[in-house]
Amino acid sequence: MKKPSNLWRSITLGLAVLAGLIVYAYGFQVTKVSLEETRSPRRQTQLIRIIRAIAQPDILEYQKQEFEVNAPIYVPCPSGDLNLPEPDRSGPYMVITPPCADPHAEINVEGFNFEPNTEGPIFFIPPSDVRLQMGNIQTDSSGHFTVTVTLPKRPSEELQHVLVITRRNVGAPYFTQTAKDTWDKIIETVFLALLATTIGTALAIPVSFFAARNLMRDVRSPLASISLSILAWPAGLLIGVQATRLVTNFSHMLTDNVALSVGGLFAGFLVAWFPARWALPQAEIQRPSTLMRLARLLALLIAAFSTILFLILFSNLIVSLGNVLAAHLSIFGFVGTFVSDLGEILSMVVVLIAAAAGGGALSSTAGRIGQFLNMRVSGATNRIISLILAGLAGATMLAIIGAVINWLYQIDNPIKTLWIPAGVGAVLGVILSSRAKEADTLPVGLSIYFIVRTILNSLRSIEPLIMVIVFAVWVGIGPFAGVLALSLHTIAALSKLYSEQVESILSGPLEAVTATGATRLQTIIYAVVPQIVPPYISFTMYRWDINVRMSTIIGFAGGGGIGFLLQQNINLLNYRAASAQMVAIAIVVASMDYLSSKMRERVV
Amino acid sequence: MLTVNNLTKIYDGNVLALDDVSFQAKDGEFLAIIGLSGSGKSTLLRCINRLIEPTSGQILWDGRDITAASSEELRTIRRKIGMVFQHFNLVHRSSVLTNVLAGRLGYVNPAMSLINRFPKEDIDKAIKQLERVGIADKAHQRADELSGGQQQRVGVARALIQDPEIILADEPVASLDPVLAHSIMRYLELINKEDGVTVLCSLHFLDLVHRYAHRVVALNEGKLVFEGLPEEIDDDMFKEIYGQEAERVG
């Protein structure tokens, strides 16, 4: 390789330095770097005041006792003799020199026998008894002070006074109201982070499998099967919701009576358990006959309905139990409220589970039928069937998207939001189907992977501080909004981290378990999960750490926790209180840091 | 009878891994597959249980077309085909017993196996297979605590618990020393003789082929270059399989 000439190198270097200079000069300009401001004395005094306030967090205070010491003075000097009483030298006393002076004159006040190292104001007391502050005193270690003050313009014939008030701490220190509020809020903050991490982790684990390329890459299906699945999903969802509604109505007959309710609970469990056990035998050596399969399907349907009934009755029972507990546990009433909340969450989730199960079951059955059709029916019939199915599926999909758009923008024009999308979808489906060969499979898995990844990436780019604004509108300003915002962000961030761990597992065990004839789900449980447990725990800890940090400031945007208090105090210029909150945040974050690193060390 | 007809596999990017390969394996046969690294041995074995989808061609087993099986049929086919791997492919953080029980996943009810519940008979069976390969005492240790030879025995036990009719062994002894290699090969031989399981085993060393195999197929750059008895591999044939530069050792 030829070595470039020295001159050329010098020129490039010079140009690079020049370019760097311009970049930083522009940076200084746009960020408004102002050295003058940093030197301005007014700003400096303000800065010093704030730093001193921050250095004295408002955490502890003492009961204060006030001491008042008087000294007589004439303003102006009387014509006759100065007849001043001698001060009592047994306690604290003051000597004023000169003992009389004109208004606006400077006098020297000397104090003896005061409390050492205290401070307090010095007043001039005219006969009207108002207090005119002339300055402050500061005693030394022997309780002595001297101060020169200027007398106010209050001439009088009568004897007037100079008053010094000192304060002394008495008794043990106690926590200020600020400290108590800070404690309450920091507890709220820690639990906010705990809930957000728990909810986020629970949901991020399943999502992460859909966002892992190595698991989704091999999921492919023929077009007919995909079309049928797409058609079956909405139908299944609807059936699930309707089934839940039906069973809920039925369960109302039972819930009025406790005995009936408990009986229904047991009956529901038994009717769910035994048919399910029968329909899902422990091991299957022979392929079952069609009749047997139908019988099993029926048994599973019965079991599904009983399960819904069981869950609804169970959730009702939990709600009642929680209410009873809440009423009787006095201080620990919150446990009862929590139990009742759990029951309510369960009853809400039952609908979702039933809908998801209905959709999933129907669409997987439909998918199998599609596969069967693809295998068994050949030639023109197959082509026609798949053309029709693809057209229908395309129409359904775009019609659903159209409905979402209509909901968002309220167009309310069925031709634009329903018929045109449906038509376009049908045409697209038919085109896709006519181009695909009979045996072709489409990469369903990768499509799902890309959709999930896109959603996660866009969610992750929205800061929780912004998300919380939307949630605060929904559930009101407070910690609950913060929990929801942090949970959502946790799902997005953790799913990404988790899925990268899934992508980096050893493929060997995956291959080996697949080769035994395991289903995809079994493969995940037996070959993937054991490999990802340590990194998952480690990332969850890491996220918990981030969530604690995040929850300390999420209150700035209405998310509850200590940030709310901190922002209030900063806005009120109450820097000593703000300082107390900053200290609390520092302690919590540092100890979480330490704890999570210790726990990570232990599990990994 | 396992019949492979005109099997071709082209990987993404036009890499021809298998080129029109056809051969047969009789029931109860110990068939060795030899060839250089990259000659397509692993691809061939993985096409048989469709861990790799063949591009074209047909694989027939007792009249059933494996290549045309639906995903559900494929599961019932796979559970009758055990597989042993060069790098053992055990799940390191799971116990030896769980690794062996994973071989029953094709049989057990998917719902129950998700919460790690196996029928009592399966657990007994797993212990029995571990006894057979001589490491029953390690059943509750973590798989990565075992030595290489012990790990491969777990791999063999996992294949055995499937009650297989075929075992596909992908260079099962390539990561082991010669002594361990023979002990693992003897287990495969035993299974072949006692249980009558057809074994398809890819191998590197010709002495192992001579010692254990009934019949040999040889691959070179994805093409089938030899099918016959081990004794029929003379010096010319050897050069044909392994290339002109190769020299016979041992």
Side-chain angles (χ1 to χ4, degrees), chain A residues 164-464:
Chain A
V164 163
I165 298 176
T166 56
R167 289 201 172 87
R168 203 176 67 179
N169 297 335
V170 284
Y174 60 89
F175 288 110
T176 58
Q177 191 54 42
T178 310
K180 285 174 193 156
D181 293 345
T182 306
W183 171 257
D184 280 352
K185 284 290 174 184
I186 203 83
I187 294 294
E188 189 181 300
T189 305
V190 171
F191 280 92
L192 193 160
L194 175 73
L195 283 193
T197 314
T198 315
I199 298 172
T201 309
L203 292 174
I205 289 175
V207 173
S208 68
F209 294 126
F210 289 106
R213 198 188 187 101
N214 56 344
L215 296 185
M216 300 304 283
R217 193 180 42 213
D218 301 330
V219 183
R220 303 175 71 96
S221 301
L223 187 63
S225 150
I226 299 170
S227 313
L228 271 172
S229 298
I230 291 175
L231 287 174
W233 256 109
L237 286 179
L238 212 66
I239 290 174
V241 172
Q242 286 300 332
T244 319
R245 198 165 291 166
L246 205 75
V247 178
T248 312
N249 286 340
F250 172 70
S251 77
H252 283 320
M253 296 192 300
L254 303 175
T255 42
D256 297 336
N257 185 321
V258 178
L260 264 181
S261 186
V262 174
L265 195 70
F266 277 106
F269 178 76
L270 293 179
V271 177
W273 179 253
F274 286 104
R277 277 310 292 265
W278 177 76
L280 301 169
Q282 274 215 315
E284 198 155 41
I285 311 300
Q286 239 73 63
R287 277 171 69 81
S289 63
T290 317
L291 196 67
M292 188 67 175
R293 288 189 162 208
L294 278 177
R296 282 187 179 169
L297 201 65
L298 195 67
L300 281 180
L301 268 178
I302 293 170
F305 271 95
S306 315
T307 311
I308 297 176
L309 178 67
F310 170 76
L311 286 176
I312 289 172
L313 289 176
F314 188 58
S315 68
N316 281 333
L317 218 62
I318 290 183
V319 172
S320 334
L321 179 73
N323 289 339
V324 171
L325 283 179
H328 288 86
L329 279 179
S330 60
I331 302 183
F332 293 101
F334 68 91
V335 177
T337 319
F338 171 65
V339 170
S340 131
D341 278 346
L342 279 186
E344 230 167 288
I345 291 173
L346 182 63
S347 70
M348 286 196 306
V349 170
V350 168
V351 185
L352 293 180
I353 292 176
L362 204 62
S363 102
S364 83
T365 319
R368 272 195 205 159
I369 293 173
Q371 253 181 0
F372 181 79
L373 282 179
N374 198 51
M375 302 283 256
R376 295 298 131 92
V377 188
S378 59
T381 336
N382 188 2
R383 278 207 94 69
I384 291 167
I385 290 176
S386 76
L387 273 178
I388 293 171
L389 285 178
L392 279 176
T396 314
M397 228 161 99
L398 285 207
I400 290 173
I401 294 176
V404 172
I405 290 174
N406 187 32
W407 181 81
L408 278 177
Y409 299 104
Q410 294 173 297
I411 300 168
D412 288 332
N413 181 351
I415 294 178
K416 275 187 186 163
T417 58
L418 180 64
W419 298 116
I420 292 179
V424 171
V427 170
L428 284 180
V430 169
I431 290 174
L432 187 66
S433 162
S434 60
R435 291 193 63 89
K437 285 191 216 83
E438 204 173 308
D440 265 0
T441 53
L442 296 179
V444 204
L446 273 187
S447 317
I448 296 173
Y449 161 84
F450 278 118
I451 292 170
V452 172
R453 272 282 161 121
T454 312
I455 294 174
L456 289 182
N457 284 341
S458 29
L459 269 184
R460 217 153 35 90
S461 65
I462 305 171
E463 281 294 316

Side-chain angles (χ1 to χ4, degrees), chain A residues 5-22:
Chain A
S5 72
N6 264 342
L7 179 68
W8 178 240
R9 277 181 58 183
S10 311
I11 290 174
T12 19
L13 188 66
L15 283 176
V17 170
L18 196 67
L21 246 143
I22 291 171

Side-chain angles (χ1 to χ4, degrees), chain A residues 439-593:
Chain A
D440 265 0
T441 53
L442 296 179
V444 204
L446 273 187
S447 317
I448 296 173
Y449 161 84
F450 278 118
I451 292 170
V452 172
R453 272 282 161 121
T454 312
I455 294 174
L456 289 182
N457 284 341
S458 29
L459 269 184
R460 217 153 35 90
S461 65
I462 305 171
E463 281 294 316
L465 274 180
I466 297 163
M467 287 181 184
V468 80
I469 298 171
V470 178
F471 283 111
V473 171
W474 184 19
V475 298
I477 289 176
F480 187 42
V483 168
L484 292 178
L486 270 185
S487 305
L488 190 59
H489 196 259
T490 305
I491 295 171
L494 270 188
S495 300
K496 169 103 193 311
L497 292 176
Y498 284 170
S499 62
E500 271 160 15
Q501 287 309 307
V502 174
E503 283 175 359
S504 69
I505 59 168
L506 297 173
S507 60
L510 206 64
E511 192 180 31
V513 174
T514 312
T516 64
T519 61
R520 191 162 291 278
L521 198 56
Q522 286 175 324
T523 314
I524 290 176
I525 299 284
Y526 282 86
V528 180
V529 169
Q531 294 195 59
I532 54 176
V533 166
Y536 268 41
I537 292 176
S538 152
F539 278 124
T540 309
M541 295 279 178
Y542 173 62
R543 187 64 210 185
W544 154 249
D545 214 71
I546 293 178
N547 278 351
V548 171
R549 279 161 217 262
M550 218 55 220
S551 60
T552 58
I553 56 160
I554 201 151
F556 276 57
I562 198 159
F564 184 62
L565 213 54
L566 182 59
Q567 188 205 24
Q568 245 179 7
N569 282 324
I570 290 174
N571 287 348
L572 293 171
L573 308 184
N574 192 355
Y575 293 109
R576 284 194 61 206
S579 168
Q581 277 116 44
M582 285 190 255
V583 169
I585 289 174
I587 292 173
V588 166
V589 169
S591 45
M592 279 302 150
D593 222 40

Side-chain angles (χ1 to χ4, degrees), chain B residues 1-4 23-27 29 31 198 200 215 227:
Chain B
M1 176 84 92
L2 184 77
T3 313
V4 176
F23 67 91
Q24 286 191 337
K26 289 187 211 64
D27 288 344
E29 192 170 49
L31 182 74
T198 314
L200 269 68
R215 238 156 43 85
E227 184 178 2

Side-chain angles (χ1 to χ4, degrees), chain B residues 120-172:
Chain B
K120 177 105 185 25
E121 310 90 77
D122 281 355
I123 295 171
D124 292 342
K125 207 168 184 172
I127 298 285
K128 206 170 286 166
Q129 297 301 350
L130 282 173
E131 273 166 12
R132 198 168 169 194
V133 293
I135 46 169
D137 53 324
K138 310 271 188 203
H140 296 287
Q141 282 189 8
R142 260 173 59 159
D144 55 358
E145 289 170 359
L146 269 56
S147 69
Q150 289 170 333
Q151 288 197 25
Q152 191 59 299
R153 290 190 221 181
V154 178
V156 172
R158 178 174 61 194
L160 283 180
I161 201 175
Q162 288 179 240
D163 293 327
E165 287 164 22
I166 297 180
I167 282 186
L168 307 172
D170 182 20
E171 302 198 6

